[in-house]
Amino acid sequence: MGSTDISLLPTRACHNCRKRRWKCDKSLPVCHKCLSAGTECLGYGKLFVWNHGVASRGKMMGKSFSEVTSMPVSKKEGQAQCDVVRDGSKAVQKRVGEPENVDKELDDTPQDTIDPPRPEAQPLTLHRPLTDPLLKDLTPNSRYYLFHFATQLCADMVTYDGPGQNPIRDLIPATSAHPLLLQIIVANSAFHVFNISRDPMSQSAYQQSQKPCLVAYYQAVSRFGGDGPLKSSYHDALIAKQHALSLLARGVAAVNVENIDLILVSILLFINYDLIESGKDKWKVHMEGARKLIDLLGTPAFMQHPMSKLRQCILSDFLVFSILGSTFTFSSSPRLIPSSIDLSPILAYAETNNYLSCPSPLLRIMLESFSLPCKPTPSSSDISAEVQKQVATLLQAALLFDPIEWSLNFQPASPFEDLEQRVRIASAHRSAVCIYLARVLPCNNPLLDAGSGSALVSLTGLAEDIVHHISYIQPGDTMFKSISWPLFLAGAECEDPAQREWIMNTLDAFYDVMYWGYINTVKKVLEAIWNCKAKAAAGADNCWVDDVKEMGTEILIA
């Protein structure tokens, strides 16, 4: 990030600190003194407030409507009570006896000359709550978690979160009628808040780049009446998850045409919960459960023609998770999507609005690798000529994928699409897919051995290519949320200490944007891989896939 322009820094205290005579730290975008006090910072610029009376000056100043209407009015005054105020080209009739719908601008009087504030007018008593019916039966914490999901989390689940582009967001109103959906959304949001709340807000007055997710959290908590991080978020997450598991068991037992998509999206949110927590182990159980329900979607009673946007989103997410989840297993998996369902709209959604943004031709190549007759382990020295031939064919297909040519026919998901970034992330995915396919083979296989004369790829060269392309994608860019899987594979293969340090720093930046716990797992796995490489004898046939398998955990990197 570039350095902050000193001319843009605040030259005086924020409005809250001026009023309370606090020493303001003049932080941007908000004052940390206000955040730590649990109040919303009103900023440093012009501020507008509502008058309490019918007028801001003169003898009507501070008087209520009832007081004004009860005052005797002379003929001359009555004539003056009606005048015409020009607002652009519109003439608006304004009566002195009506409350002004005009804001009064606070002046810039020095702090020590501000008059003591007059007593506040009595607040208006309302006889009915102004609560959205969607929220009226929720606890204050649950209301906040639903708000947090709507404003932050569900945007992380797609590439673009514009109107009509995020089927997960469109389901939020359904939480009032579907407790399962509500509870798993609350669980996701509460654990995400737990991750955020463990990262204290920096107290630097002139920090160059605040973490947007962290700033948004503190601002939102202050609006909801909170006094800082929600201390109960971890407990709230576990309780909501347990409720959701009980409701899921009942829902699966009574699945039908009407509720199957809702149950599937709830299972998808269980996998998202595991990614927010750590990305280890539990996600695979949910994937297997989803597979059985997805089989039903291929039967006539459950099929959709055409397929809804929600179902495209659900199936593309499951498909991507299924493919990426096989990074460490290299075992043949049952087909996730029944052959009776057309893959084309699912893959099209996956490459345009799934947040991993992997081009559909590369996804098809990885799906074809599932059909290898007998996948060997990477440490195995025995591999049949037939398997080697098929792997070579898949590798050549991946190498022939041209990201620039692909982008020419790409259907943008948003009018703000940056095709250059799409090409960069597609190029990184191409090299990552080549590593993914190559690691089916033993390290000494001729297709990988540079000294054999028949090597198709260089693993360290592929890692360098991934780092090169991702280096052009910065935090805040739309495609930044797509980097984790290719970046992990680059880290697993790279040998350069400087590249390793850059990868770790980039993963830290990624966590500061997303706050998903699986990123911390990725860092620990990479450190373990590098330690194993350091302990291995020079020239040893060391394979990181075997090292990860020995950890005994099923890891999802998405």
Side-chain angles (χ1 to χ4, degrees):
M1 303 292 290
S3 59
T4 302
D5 186 349
I6 299 299
S7 66
L8 299 179
L9 293 175
T11 58
R12 57 180 182 156
C14 75
H15 294 294
N16 278 347
C17 290
R18 290 175 61 206
K19 182 177 180 180
R20 292 171 171 78
R21 289 180 165 79
W22 289 347
K23 184 177 180 180
C24 183
D25 60 15
K26 301 179 184 178
S27 298
L28 289 174
V30 291
C31 163
H32 295 137
K33 183 80 73 174
C34 296
L35 291 177
S36 61
T39 60
E40 183 176 2
C41 181
L42 298 178
Y44 307 94
K46 301 291 185 182
L47 182 67
F48 296 88
V49 296
W50 290 102
N51 270 330
H52 293 297
V54 298
S56 60
R57 57 181 62 87
K59 68 178 185 178
M60 300 296 180
M61 181 176 67
K63 295 187 179 297
S64 68
F65 175 72
S66 59
E67 290 174 315
V68 172
T69 54
S70 64
M71 290 174 59
V73 180
S74 69
K75 182 177 181 181
K76 183 176 181 180
E77 288 173 333
Q79 183 66 29
Q81 282 183 358
C82 226
D83 61 0
V84 177
V85 178
R86 296 284 176 183
D87 180 15
S89 62
K90 290 182 65 177
V92 181
Q93 291 292 329
K94 174 185 167 188
R95 298 178 184 275
V96 174
E98 294 176 353
E100 289 187 357
N101 287 327
V102 182
D103 293 338
K104 177 184 176 185
E105 183 179 343
L106 290 181
D107 62 32
D108 295 334
T109 309
Q111 181 175 311
D112 56 357
T113 64
I114 295 178
D115 294 332
R118 291 187 297 274
E120 298 277 344
Q122 291 299 316
L124 179 65
T125 302
L126 297 176
H127 298 287
R128 61 185 180 85
L130 297 178
T131 303
D132 190 314
L134 176 64
L135 308 175
K136 66 183 179 64
D137 295 325
L138 300 182
T139 65
N141 278 12
S142 293
R143 291 181 188 182
Y144 173 71
Y145 294 137
L146 200 59
F147 169 84
H148 182 80
F149 183 86
T151 55
Q152 292 202 50
L153 251 188
C154 68
D156 293 339
M157 298 178 186
V158 293
T159 304
Y160 290 101
D161 187 36
Q165 291 179 311
N166 191 345
I168 305 297
R169 175 185 297 284
D170 295 341
L171 282 175
I172 292 176
T175 56
S176 60
H178 298 282
L180 166 60
L181 186 61
L182 172 65
Q183 292 301 322
I184 191 56
I185 283 178
V186 167
N188 272 260
S189 191
F191 209 102
H192 195 241
V193 166
F194 172 66
N195 288 343
I196 296 172
S197 65
R198 288 186 289 178
D199 186 351
M201 173 73 81
S202 170
Q203 294 303 310
S204 170
Y206 299 103
Q207 186 175 349
Q208 292 183 6
S209 58
Q210 296 281 12
K211 301 172 183 177
C213 189
L214 190 61
V215 171
Y217 165 68
Y218 275 87
Q219 290 176 332
V221 167
S222 69
R223 292 191 196 102
F224 276 73
D227 56 356
L230 295 179
K231 303 296 184 183
S232 64
S233 56
Y234 182 74
H235 176 266
D236 293 341
L238 296 182
I239 294 298
K241 182 186 177 186
Q242 285 304 118
H243 287 162
L245 284 170
S246 298
L247 293 166
L248 179 62
R250 287 184 234 163
V252 170
V255 67
N256 56 50
V257 175
E258 301 298 327
N259 67 11
I260 190 167
D261 285 344
L262 188 138
I263 292 174
L264 277 170
V265 80
S266 298
I267 297 174
L268 184 64
L269 288 170
F270 272 102
I271 296 176
N272 274 280
Y273 177 95
D274 293 334
L275 286 169
I276 293 170
E277 183 183 42
S278 68
K280 294 190 291 188
D281 298 323
K282 290 167 280 189
W283 65 272
K284 194 157 191 181
V285 175
H286 299 306
M287 183 65 71
E288 291 305 314
R291 190 187 304 278
K292 297 176 182 178
L293 293 182
I294 292 172
D295 282 342
L296 287 177
L297 299 182
T299 60
F302 289 85
M303 290 185 73
Q304 289 180 347
H305 300 288
M307 192 181 300
S308 69
K309 180 69 72 68
L310 174 61
R311 188 168 290 187
Q312 289 178 33
C313 171
I314 295 169
L315 293 182
S316 74
D317 283 7
F318 275 122
L319 185 64
V320 170
F321 287 153
S322 174
I323 292 171
L324 302 189
S326 69
T327 302
F328 307 106
T329 58
F330 294 97
S331 58
S332 298
S333 303
R335 187 185 181 99
L336 179 72
I337 308 296
S339 56
S340 55
I341 295 179
D342 183 11
L343 267 181
S344 298
I346 299 169
L347 293 175
Y349 185 92
E351 74 176 2
T352 56
N353 218 29
N354 177 280
Y355 70 93
L356 268 299
S357 305
C358 186
S360 59
L362 295 177
L363 289 173
R364 285 188 183 275
I365 290 170
M366 288 191 282
L367 282 173
E368 288 179 35
S369 74
F370 287 180
S371 62
L372 289 173
C374 180
K375 280 194 175 182
T377 60
S379 59
S380 171
S381 58
D382 297 325
I383 180 171
S384 69
E386 180 62 24
V387 170
Q388 179 172 308
K389 181 180 177 181
Q390 291 187 31
V391 172
T393 300
L394 294 173
L395 270 172
Q396 288 169 335
L399 291 169
L400 287 173
F401 171 73
D402 185 342
I404 296 177
E405 183 180 347
W406 165 80
S407 70
L408 298 178
N409 297 315
F410 178 76
Q411 298 297 318
S414 165
F416 306 105
E417 188 75 69
D418 186 332
L419 283 180
E420 182 181 348
Q421 282 197 12
R422 284 282 188 178
V423 170
R424 290 289 182 189
I425 199 64
S427 300
H429 277 302
R430 177 186 58 188
S431 292
V433 169
C434 288
I435 294 174
Y436 171 91
L437 295 169
R439 277 308 182 184
V440 175
L441 303 169
C443 297
N444 58 359
N445 188 274
L447 295 177
L448 307 180
D449 185 0
S452 68
S454 58
L456 286 178
V457 294
S458 162
L459 294 173
T460 54
L462 292 170
E464 290 170 358
D465 186 64
I466 293 171
V467 169
H468 169 73
H469 288 292
I470 290 180
S471 68
Y472 285 88
I473 304 174
Q474 302 299 315
D477 291 342
T478 302
M479 291 293 109
F480 192 71
K481 68 180 74 172
S482 309
I483 68 172
S484 59
W485 185 70
L487 195 61
F488 167 78
L489 290 173
E493 298 293 350
C494 82
E495 303 290 344
D496 182 8
Q499 278 189 354
R500 291 178 177 181
E501 181 180 2
W502 183 88
I503 288 169
M504 283 298 192
N505 290 338
T506 304
L507 287 171
D508 283 338
F510 188 87
Y511 183 81
D512 289 343
V513 171
M514 300 285 286
Y515 286 96
W516 287 44
Y518 81 92
I519 300 301
N520 292 325
T521 302
V522 168
K523 292 179 62 180
K524 291 176 183 176
V525 171
L526 284 177
E527 287 173 348
I529 290 171
W530 296 338
N531 287 335
C532 290
K533 286 186 176 183
K535 293 176 183 176
D541 185 11
N542 179 262
C543 179
W544 56 265
V545 177
D546 295 327
D547 298 333
V548 174
K549 281 188 172 183
E550 289 178 5
M551 296 178 189
T553 57
E554 294 281 0
I555 303 170
L556 178 60
I557 298 173

